[in-house]
Amino acid sequence: MEKSIKQQMQEVKEKALVCTDCRLSETRTQVVFGEGNPQARLVLVGEGPGEQEDKSGRPFVGRAGRLLEEVLEEVQLQRKDLWISNVIKCRACIIEEGRARNRPPRVDEVKACRKWLDAELNLIKPSVIVCVGAPAANLLIHKNFKMTEERGQWFTDSLYAPSVMAVLHTAYILRQHGEEYKQMRQLLIDDLIEAKERTEETQERQQLTLF
Ligand code: URA
């Protein structure tokens, strides 16, 4: 009997949890694999785990994750309706003044890690992918992605899903203040509404072609 997507995802996860293919495995507390519904039509992909994710082993649970959850709730989406993952699965950080600070993933780290995201996306075959921040957009849409110019646009030539869009990263929004913060938060909400609608439309179209 063929294994379910859930079983296959669990097998990929078990392999990822013991991965030592790059140096980040030496400093991580644990691997942070994607989570949610492996049959979801909508997938969110962030940059990589931060301190809280490294501690808990779950994606988007720190401050940026709480903001993401808040806006998802506002557009009536829940984690259980989605698959939430990251480009890299282990925390990338530098030690400054005795404290670990997050840093963007390096090219070699992304190269070593992308097999896990590839495996997740190949199993799920989502209708829509939302790249949360530029690192995911660079990987899943195109290199040198310009968030200021290309955010909120649909890209339909990706190998990973029929529709891919990039949105502002919640960690970036959290660094804004006052009116700027409000505007960017609203932009994220508008983009997520669009992504939700696009997912529903794609599902309806697929159902019509089935009958
Ligand atoms: N937490 C994650 O899991 N990913 C991010 O990109 C940021 C915070």
Side-chain angles (χ1 to χ4, degrees), residues 46-49 53 59-60 64 86 169:
E47 176 175 327
E53 290 79 12
F60 279 101
N86 281 304
H169 199 295

Side-chain angles (χ1 to χ4, degrees), residues 126-173:
S127 305
V128 173
I129 299 176
V130 172
C131 302
V132 184
N138 277 322
L139 188 70
L140 302 177
I141 300 178
H142 65 75
K143 279 193 193 132
N144 303 317
F145 189 87
K146 299 262 177 306
M147 197 51 97
T148 43
E149 291 159 27
E150 299 177 289
R151 185 235 93 247
Q153 287 179 27
W154 285 114
F155 292 83
T156 55
D157 52 359
S158 163
L159 297 174
Y160 296 95
S163 301
V164 186
M165 178 206 267
V167 300
L168 295 176
H169 199 295
T170 44
Y172 174 75
I173 299 175

Side-chain angles (χ1 to χ4, degrees):
M1 209 170 69
E2 213 190 300
K3 288 179 189 161
S4 68
I5 295 179
K6 204 172 161 192
Q7 282 171 318
Q8 293 178 69
M9 192 66 93
Q10 185 57 30
E11 287 177 9
V12 176
K13 179 175 175 176
E14 278 163 23
K15 288 187 190 136
L17 292 186
V18 292
C19 177
T20 53
D21 289 351
C22 83
R23 304 270 316 252
L24 295 180
S25 61
E26 294 168 15
T27 49
R28 73 178 179 224
T29 307
Q30 52 194 316
V31 172
V32 180
F33 196 71
E35 70 168 33
N37 178 358
Q39 282 173 308
R41 302 292 73 226
L42 174 59
V43 170
L44 265 54
V45 181
E47 176 175 327
E51 185 182 7
Q52 295 307 317
E53 290 79 12
D54 176 68
K55 271 190 191 153
S56 68
R58 296 185 56 215
F60 279 101
V61 291
R63 274 186 80 214
R66 285 200 296 278
L67 177 57
L68 183 67
E69 218 158 279
E70 204 179 284
V71 293
L72 284 173
E73 238 170 70
E74 281 184 46
V75 304
Q76 269 113 53
L77 280 172
Q78 292 177 15
R79 277 179 179 256
K80 66 172 178 53
D81 304 322
L82 317 163
W83 186 259
I84 300 186
S85 194
N86 281 304
V87 170
I88 59 164
K89 311 293 190 219
C90 296
R91 185 184 186 199
C93 59
I94 40 167
I95 307 294
E96 265 180 5
E97 293 163 10
R99 272 189 59 119
R101 261 173 40 99
N102 296 340
R103 62 160 175 81
R106 290 198 312 243
V107 176
D108 57 317
E109 292 159 355
V110 173
K111 212 167 152 192
C113 203
R114 70 175 296 171
K115 58 181 167 299
W116 304 121
L117 181 61
D118 278 353
E120 290 172 283
L121 295 176
N122 285 335
L123 276 176
I124 299 173
K125 296 187 181 60
S127 305
V128 173
I129 299 176
V130 172
C131 302
V132 184
N138 277 322
L139 188 70
L140 302 177
I141 300 178
H142 65 75
K143 279 193 193 132
N144 303 317
F145 189 87
K146 299 262 177 306
M147 197 51 97
T148 43
E149 291 159 27
E150 299 177 289
R151 185 235 93 247
Q153 287 179 27
W154 285 114
F155 292 83
T156 55
D157 52 359
S158 163
L159 297 174
Y160 296 95
S163 301
V164 186
M165 178 206 267
V167 300
L168 295 176
H169 199 295
T170 44
Y172 174 75
I173 299 175
L174 282 170
R175 290 197 293 273
Q176 313 306 310
H177 302 282
E179 215 34 53
E180 202 82 347
Y181 172 83
K182 275 195 211 153
Q183 277 173 14
M184 297 201 175
R185 188 180 185 283
Q186 191 55 48
L187 263 188
L188 176 60
I189 291 177
D190 295 344
D191 289 341
L192 288 173
I193 291 174
E194 174 121 8
K196 186 183 172 194
E197 285 171 0
R198 184 88 161 200
T199 309
E200 286 161 3
E201 279 161 24
T202 313
Q203 235 165 330
E204 275 162 27
R205 226 175 307 128
Q206 280 166 346
Q207 270 156 9
L208 279 179
T209 49
L210 273 178
F211 299 109

